[in-house]
Amino acid sequence: MKSQKQLYYLLLSVSAILLFAHLGKLYVDIMEARNFVSAREMADEGNWIFTTMNGLPRYEKPPLPTWLSAWMGEIFSFGNIGALRFPAALSCFLLVIYFYRIVNFLSNNARLAFISSMVLVTNFLVIYVGRRANWDIYSYSFMVIGIYYFILALKKIKTIPNYLFAGVLFGLSVLSKGPTGPYVLLIPFYIGYIIVFGWPKWKEIRGIALCAAITVLTGFSWYIYIYLADPETFLAIMEKEATARGNRDVKPFTRYLSFPVQTGVWVLYSVIGLIFPMIRKRTDQPKVYMLFFYWTLFSLILLSLIPSKKERYLFPMMVPLAATTGYYLYYLFQNLQLKKWELNLNKIIFTILAVVSLGIAAGVYFLPLSITVYTVLFSIAALAAAVGLLYFVYKKKNFENAFYAVVVLMVATGIFGIPVLDKMLSNNKDIKSLTHIKERIHRENSRLYTYAEYSPEVWFKYQELMPEIKAEDPKTYPKEREFYIAMNTNDPGFRKTLENLGWKLTYIDTFDDNEEAPPSKNYSERKIHYVYKVIK
């Protein structure tokens, strides 16, 4: 059996591989692009407080994550995707480490904390969100770290300093994505804490009030400043954002009931870990397990109340869910005398994972890609994981070693699988980036403008401001006599509108920045640009 220190170092190593390996692979999505464009404009235009995106106010999200991307961009360049993503990956890395500390502190069981944290970091959704430089991961990371110090304060350890520290971290979470973090992580946690450990006493209430005050002062400082300095724009943007949240991606209350699927390889064990009566009887720490169970339950309820629903919004649930899953796996690894039905159930689960591994080992050769070193190594690693799973389950009857075989599969995915996936997704043979015309525009000492266009991913690639022209607003008209204009549509009506201004449009070319080829659902018209040269 490995020592506590060995397990901790193993967790650090696996987390580092899954979150940092090939960080520059996989193309930039729209959420990241918005962040990166604003970050570049922070550095280039000096918009550190009054954040912008393509020159227009961008007050929908607080600036903390964008500051971090901007600093990385200034150091390593804004074309270095891996560097721009690094702060987000580091945030997720710290989230995993502090989750380990939370479980270890509450349970006083380092092995349980290790198993739970390993489940968390090998969770599909955690890897996906944790490697992307969007606002979510920063908010959740600051919140989980803050909850650790909040728990210390509740347990009477350096009470006031920990309440203050927790308040600052909660505030940084708000400064990352508004009140999302407190709503989906802190409130569910504290409801569960009250159910399990009872209502707070007067001294605790005073400490919690102090923590809340620090959270508000830290987290809403930017909102207050922007409101006082630019109230009209701020309120208009907030109203638009609220309307979008209520009307965009609206799904029924039951939409999130399929949440276990997001755990990936742990889907079946995550369901077992939530069988409350069974797990509560199989642990010598029923209260701590119940805390994580209620935390998961109320996180699901609060998330389901929000009309707008996306799979990545389920990330907060994955945190306490990893602990409930960890409780069952810990019991499984400790128990040598399982009932026949339970023994067979676990054999079936790990056999399914072995079959999946075999499917990966063979399936990579049938992808519409040329075979590379990564393809072969990924196949070999997946085959080794499959053989290991079957060997440990049927020959050695050792479920813990089978668990490590699954971890090996995930690590292999991080090292060898991501480059294969990157090649598979970048399959558009007709890609012709808008950046190809950039040199010509510079050579003519001209500039590229946009009209009837919205494409943050392309704005990021172009690495320059592409000012928007609005036909109804003469203030947006270019001062130059000659310039270029890019549109997402080739509709003659839009061209006619510009020609009515006395502008002569000459078609230059069509540019397609889609990394994925049709009929992929990720193939988007907003990444296609029709470029014209305009002479007034």
Side-chain angles (χ1 to χ4, degrees):
M1 185 181 293
K2 294 180 175 64
S3 68
Q4 178 178 338
K5 186 177 290 188
Q6 287 175 320
L7 292 176
Y8 186 67
Y9 287 148
L10 179 59
L11 174 65
L12 293 180
S13 301
V14 172
S15 300
I17 291 170
L18 292 177
L19 296 173
F20 296 117
H22 305 296
L23 206 50
K25 298 288 186 182
L26 305 180
Y27 62 81
V28 172
D29 65 24
I30 188 170
M31 297 297 294
E32 292 182 294
R34 290 168 180 163
N35 189 6
F36 294 161
V37 170
S38 294
R40 190 189 70 241
E41 291 176 19
M42 278 182 171
D44 292 349
E45 312 294 332
N47 301 328
W48 294 88
I49 301 298
F50 297 94
T51 49
T52 60
M53 184 171 66
N54 200 35
L56 299 177
R58 173 71 178 167
Y59 302 158
E60 288 90 341
K61 299 291 189 296
L64 180 53
T66 316
W67 289 339
L68 298 175
S69 294
W71 292 330
M72 294 301 290
E74 286 195 300
I75 297 170
F76 297 101
S77 92
F78 285 96
N80 190 328
I81 298 172
L84 296 177
R85 285 172 172 166
F86 179 79
L90 180 60
S91 295
C92 192
F93 183 83
L94 292 173
L95 182 152
V96 173
I97 299 310
Y98 273 88
F99 172 73
Y100 171 89
R101 292 187 176 188
I102 289 172
V103 179
N104 191 23
F105 177 78
L106 290 173
S107 67
N108 194 28
N109 188 329
R111 193 154 171 258
L112 170 66
F114 165 78
I115 294 168
S116 301
S117 301
M118 196 63 84
V119 168
L120 179 64
V121 79
T122 52
N123 179 305
F124 163 76
L125 190 60
V126 171
I127 296 171
Y128 175 78
V129 175
R131 294 172 57 91
R132 296 283 184 174
N134 54 44
W135 296 270
D136 304 60
I137 189 60
Y138 296 98
S139 176
Y140 304 148
S141 178
F142 283 123
M143 187 54 58
V144 168
I145 298 171
I147 286 174
Y148 171 72
Y149 291 101
F150 189 61
I151 291 171
L152 295 184
L154 292 173
K155 295 296 185 180
K156 310 296 189 297
I157 299 175
K158 295 182 181 179
T159 307
I160 297 302
N162 280 323
Y163 274 129
L164 290 172
F165 199 27
V168 171
L169 288 161
F170 293 159
L172 294 177
S173 175
V174 174
L175 204 53
S176 298
K177 202 187 177 185
T180 300
Y183 179 78
V184 297
L185 276 167
L186 181 58
I187 293 176
F189 160 77
Y190 199 53
I191 292 174
Y193 190 89
I194 290 172
I195 293 173
V196 175
F197 297 107
W199 289 95
K201 297 180 174 57
W202 171 242
K203 287 185 179 180
E204 292 176 346
I205 292 175
R206 286 187 298 177
I208 292 170
L210 174 64
C211 180
I214 298 298
T215 300
V216 172
L217 288 173
T218 305
F220 290 94
S221 55
W222 177 81
Y223 287 98
I224 294 170
Y225 185 85
I226 292 295
Y227 172 73
L228 294 175
D230 191 6
E232 186 176 341
T233 306
F234 177 77
L235 291 175
I237 290 175
M238 289 299 106
E239 183 179 354
K240 180 182 176 182
E241 182 75 356
T243 302
R245 282 298 182 97
N247 298 311
R248 187 175 55 204
D249 298 306
V250 175
K251 302 290 192 308
F253 182 85
T254 55
R255 177 65 180 84
Y256 284 154
L257 292 180
S258 61
F259 68 88
V261 175
Q262 299 303 318
T263 65
V265 292
W266 307 118
V267 55
L268 297 175
Y269 279 117
S270 66
V271 174
I272 294 173
L274 290 175
I275 303 176
F276 184 83
M278 183 178 81
I279 308 301
R280 187 176 61 172
K281 291 178 181 178
R282 299 187 181 199
T283 175
D284 56 358
Q285 300 174 337
K287 281 195 171 184
V288 181
Y289 165 77
M290 287 165 61
L291 169 60
F292 287 111
F293 174 85
Y294 287 124
W295 185 353
T296 306
L297 175 64
F298 286 104
S299 181
L300 173 62
I301 292 171
L302 293 182
L303 281 166
S304 298
L305 292 175
I306 301 173
S308 179
K309 293 179 177 64
K310 296 180 182 179
E311 277 68 23
R312 65 183 175 85
Y313 293 167
L314 285 169
F315 185 103
M317 274 193 70
M318 302 298 109
V319 177
L321 183 64
T324 56
T325 306
Y327 264 96
Y328 179 72
L329 289 172
Y330 177 77
Y331 161 81
L332 178 65
F333 301 160
Q334 294 286 103
N335 200 308
L336 301 177
Q337 299 297 325
L338 295 173
K339 293 180 181 179
K340 187 175 180 180
W341 70 267
E342 192 167 6
L343 178 65
N344 290 333
L345 174 63
N346 283 281
K347 283 183 176 181
I348 290 170
I349 293 175
F350 279 113
T351 301
I352 291 172
L353 291 172
V355 171
V356 170
S357 299
L358 286 172
I360 293 172
V364 290
Y365 295 109
F366 294 93
L367 296 174
L369 302 170
S370 57
I371 296 174
T372 65
V373 173
Y374 284 118
T375 307
V376 175
L377 292 176
F378 188 32
S379 176
I380 292 172
L383 178 61
V387 172
L389 278 162
L390 296 174
Y391 175 76
F392 291 125
V393 169
Y394 291 98
K395 180 70 174 177
K396 292 295 184 180
K397 295 181 173 57
N398 187 319
F399 289 120
E400 183 169 7
N401 284 347
F403 170 80
Y404 287 116
V406 178
V407 172
V408 167
L409 174 65
M410 296 305 298
V411 169
T413 302
I415 298 175
F416 309 124
I418 288 177
V420 175
L421 180 63
D422 181 59
K423 284 285 186 182
M424 187 173 70
L425 294 179
S426 301
N427 60 359
N428 186 4
K429 296 178 181 178
D430 296 323
I431 188 169
K432 184 179 181 181
S433 177
L434 186 63
T435 57
H436 290 174
I437 201 174
K438 190 175 179 180
E439 184 181 345
R440 171 179 172 174
I441 294 173
H442 285 181
R443 191 169 58 247
E444 295 179 10
N445 197 27
S446 188
R447 190 172 190 181
L448 180 64
Y449 290 80
T450 64
Y451 179 68
E453 186 262 12
Y454 181 81
S455 184
E457 302 98 321
V458 180
W459 300 342
F460 165 68
K461 284 185 182 180
Y462 197 75
Q463 293 289 308
E464 282 183 14
L465 197 65
M466 298 163 59
E468 180 183 3
I469 297 171
K470 296 182 179 179
E472 71 279 7
D473 185 1
K475 293 179 182 178
T476 65
Y477 295 175
K479 293 181 173 59
E480 302 94 332
R481 181 174 176 272
E482 296 183 7
F483 55 92
Y484 288 81
I485 190 166
M487 294 187 283
N488 280 151
T489 175
N490 206 24
D491 187 341
F494 286 102
R495 298 199 302 274
K496 187 67 176 175
T497 300
L498 297 177
E499 289 168 351
N500 288 340
L501 298 175
W503 299 353
K504 180 183 176 182
L505 276 67
T506 302
Y507 172 74
I508 301 298
D509 206 347
T510 300
F511 298 88
D512 183 356
D513 272 281
N514 280 284
E515 292 82 3
E516 296 188 47
S520 168
K521 66 176 183 179
N522 294 320
Y523 186 86
S524 174
E525 293 294 329
R526 73 168 178 272
K527 293 185 182 181
I528 298 175
H529 287 85
Y530 303 90
V531 176
Y532 296 82
K533 186 171 184 178
V534 181
I535 300 177
K536 288 185 180 179

